[in-house]
Amino acid sequence: MGAHHGRVSSTTTDDLSGMGPLVARLGRAGQRLRHADRARPWVLDTAVVVLVFVLFCLPDLLHAVGAIGGDGDGDGPRRFRLAFTRLPAVGMLALQAGLVLPLLWRRRAPAVAFGAVTAVFVVQWSLGAALRADVALFVALYSLALHGPLRQLPWACAVMAGALGLVAARVSAAVSVWDALFFLLSTATAALALGLMIRIRRAQLAGLRDRAARLEIERDQRGRLAVAAERARVAREMHDIVGHNLSVIITLADAGAYAGAPERGKEALYLIGDTGRQALSELRRVLGVLRAADGSRSEPELSPQPGLTDVDALCEGVRAAGLEVVYRTAGDVDALDSGVQLTVYRIVQEALTNTLKHAGAGARANLAIVVEDTRLTITVRDSGSPAPADRPGTANEEGHGLVGMRERAALYGGHVSAGPAGPGWTVRVTLDLAPRGGAR
């Protein structure tokens, strides 16, 4: 039994694998036909008319011409011959043209085509004539269901039922009215259902294509937003690194230039070298992350991101530049995650850099980092001691420091306030440490 099942599965797989190329070729052929139809829609409309004429009109015409040269009895049972009216070839051709030619605009104006075919159909059966070209009525109904407005289908079905009722009454001498109605209405229902089914399928495919296009656009937008966010993040990192270290270097250089003792100038040069090396190391770390995108290294070896443990070293570097810093913490700051610690470090770095730039060496800054429950507060308040008048200053320079602090604080639902406080300036930042997504 198992071997038999294996043979059946193998045979089915072989059949499916053989059907794959055939289905693919049929799909490509259908796609080419759709492209050709969109380019020249009149070709398909004309082909439908020609096909209906050859299959359904031409046999009746040949039969009518043959009956003229024969005995005139025709073929078929006598009751069928008595039920229908024999038409001359010219009259038959005129009725066939009235039934078939409106199919030329069955897609452009399906309601008009259906109305024209139905009118000729009613005239034909009022005369008691039966034609194979009556199949055009079902083609017109199919086209109306596929291409026409759906609100027109109810009245079209009512007109169709009335016309088919006329046919059933005409053939009652040969066939039961109920049998005739069952056959005719079943055929009309099949044509209507086929048109609606193809219409729904096309609408589904159009919806899928539209959704795919929207998803592609959204994917591109997400990609651009991700690139923009990454650029903003790198810009903030570069601003914090370069801005802070260059401010310290400039302040040290100015202090060395104004120092009277050679030892002070030499000490300032040493501090400038240390600050420059630190800045270079941080720049290499940031640029190493950017270079990692080219696949050269899957995990670049970088130094850890700065945290609260590095704030003391940051304050020492600022003190070396001449700014007195008093630093204190409160609360469980060691329990903060690395992302929060990096944000706090960068905000403190930017605030002290601004204080060094605008208050100048000789000023005093009080730095406080306080954690209370789910809130973290950073306060930097300086004494506002003015920089020497003859020292190159940066008080009027505008940068993106406050903007960068607000962007970093916004990542944790915080806000930044900055403004004068007495003779000095105060920066206060509040971060929300509550878990995101409703977690408690």
Side-chain angles (χ1 to χ4, degrees), residues 198-282:
I198 296 178
R199 183 186 190 126
I200 293 171
R201 178 60 176 170
R202 288 182 179 179
Q204 290 175 342
L205 291 176
L208 290 176
R209 285 192 293 266
D210 181 66
R211 183 171 182 270
R214 289 199 306 270
L215 289 176
E216 186 175 356
I217 293 174
E218 291 175 2
R219 181 199 64 192
D220 295 339
Q221 290 176 344
R222 286 196 298 268
R224 288 193 292 269
L225 290 175
V227 170
E230 183 64 14
R231 290 178 63 184
R233 185 190 69 81
V234 173
R236 286 195 302 267
E237 292 289 326
M238 297 291 288
H239 175 271
D240 292 339
I241 295 171
V242 176
H244 169 74
N245 290 288
L246 283 182
S247 296
V248 173
I249 289 173
I250 292 172
T251 303
L252 290 172
D254 291 339
Y258 287 97
E263 293 77 8
R264 295 294 304 275
K266 187 175 181 180
E267 180 182 359
L269 291 177
Y270 282 129
L271 292 174
I272 289 174
D274 293 338
T275 305
R277 280 187 289 272
Q278 179 184 355
L280 183 60
S281 175
E282 294 187 14

Side-chain angles (χ1 to χ4, degrees), residues 116-197:
V117 173
T118 304
V120 177
F121 181 85
V122 171
V123 171
Q124 169 208 324
W125 281 98
S126 298
L127 297 175
L131 298 174
R132 291 183 176 90
D134 290 339
V135 72
L137 183 63
F138 300 106
V139 176
L141 179 63
Y142 158 81
S143 300
L144 181 62
L146 179 58
H147 302 290
L150 293 178
R151 65 177 181 274
Q152 295 178 347
L153 284 182
W155 68 261
C157 292
V159 171
M160 187 77 169
L164 297 182
L166 174 61
V167 176
R170 277 293 185 178
V171 302
S172 60
V175 182
S176 169
V177 173
W178 298 112
D179 291 342
L181 278 178
F182 176 78
F183 172 76
L184 294 172
L185 292 178
S186 298
T187 306
T189 302
L192 181 66
L194 181 62
L196 290 176
M197 182 187 67

Side-chain angles (χ1 to χ4, degrees), residues 53-424:
F53 177 80
V54 172
L55 294 180
F56 300 99
C57 298
L58 195 57
D60 283 341
L61 287 175
L62 295 177
H63 179 72
V65 173
I68 293 175
D71 57 4
D73 291 338
D75 55 357
R78 178 177 176 80
R79 57 177 180 169
F80 282 97
R81 298 200 303 269
L82 294 176
F84 302 132
T85 302
R86 186 182 300 279
L87 294 174
V90 176
M92 183 181 296
L93 183 60
L95 289 175
Q96 289 175 344
L99 290 170
V100 175
L101 289 180
L103 298 181
L104 287 172
W105 60 85
R106 65 183 183 88
R107 293 192 293 179
R108 289 169 292 176
V112 176
F114 177 79
V117 173
T118 304
V120 177
F121 181 85
V122 171
V123 171
Q124 169 208 324
W125 281 98
S126 298
L127 297 175
L131 298 174
R132 291 183 176 90
D134 290 339
V135 72
L137 183 63
F138 300 106
V139 176
L141 179 63
Y142 158 81
S143 300
L144 181 62
L146 179 58
H147 302 290
L150 293 178
R151 65 177 181 274
Q152 295 178 347
L153 284 182
W155 68 261
C157 292
V159 171
M160 187 77 169
L164 297 182
L166 174 61
V167 176
R170 277 293 185 178
V171 302
S172 60
V175 182
S176 169
V177 173
W178 298 112
D179 291 342
L181 278 178
F182 176 78
F183 172 76
L184 294 172
L185 292 178
S186 298
T187 306
T189 302
L192 181 66
L194 181 62
L196 290 176
M197 182 187 67
I198 296 178
R199 183 186 190 126
I200 293 171
R201 178 60 176 170
R202 288 182 179 179
Q204 290 175 342
L205 291 176
L208 290 176
R209 285 192 293 266
D210 181 66
R211 183 171 182 270
R214 289 199 306 270
L215 289 176
E216 186 175 356
I217 293 174
E218 291 175 2
R219 181 199 64 192
D220 295 339
Q221 290 176 344
R222 286 196 298 268
R224 288 193 292 269
L225 290 175
V227 170
E230 183 64 14
R231 290 178 63 184
R233 185 190 69 81
V234 173
R236 286 195 302 267
E237 292 289 326
M238 297 291 288
H239 175 271
D240 292 339
I241 295 171
V242 176
H244 169 74
N245 290 288
L246 283 182
S247 296
V248 173
I249 289 173
I250 292 172
T251 303
L252 290 172
D254 291 339
Y258 287 97
E263 293 77 8
R264 295 294 304 275
K266 187 175 181 180
E267 180 182 359
L269 291 177
Y270 282 129
L271 292 174
I272 289 174
D274 293 338
T275 305
R277 280 187 289 272
Q278 179 184 355
L280 183 60
S281 175
E282 294 187 14
L283 284 176
R284 284 175 175 170
R285 174 179 52 79
V286 174
L287 296 178
V289 173
L290 297 179
R291 285 195 300 269
D294 62 3
S296 58
R297 292 183 298 175
S298 58
E299 294 183 358
E301 299 178 0
L302 305 173
S303 60
Q305 293 276 39
L308 290 181
T309 57
D310 301 293
V311 174
D312 288 323
L314 176 67
C315 293
E316 287 297 329
V318 175
R319 291 188 188 101
L323 177 66
E324 183 181 354
V325 179
V326 178
Y327 171 44
R328 70 178 182 89
T329 61
D332 191 7
V333 295
D334 295 331
L336 299 176
D337 61 62
S338 58
V340 176
Q341 292 195 29
L342 174 62
T343 298
V344 172
Y345 179 88
R346 291 304 187 196
I347 291 175
V348 170
Q349 184 183 51
E350 182 61 37
L352 292 179
T353 300
N354 289 339
T355 301
L356 183 62
K357 288 167 59 178
H358 300 296
R364 176 187 176 92
N366 293 306
L367 168 62
I369 301 176
V370 180
V371 177
E372 297 176 343
D373 295 330
T374 60
R375 188 177 66 175
L376 185 148
T377 305
I378 306 169
T379 305
V380 180
R381 181 181 294 109
D382 64 72
S383 61
S385 299
D390 55 349
R391 185 182 62 86
T394 57
N396 295 326
E397 293 179 3
E398 295 183 358
H400 300 280
L402 285 177
V403 175
M405 283 192 284
R406 290 191 178 98
E407 290 177 351
R408 291 184 181 277
L411 296 176
Y412 293 92
H415 64 277
V416 178
S417 61

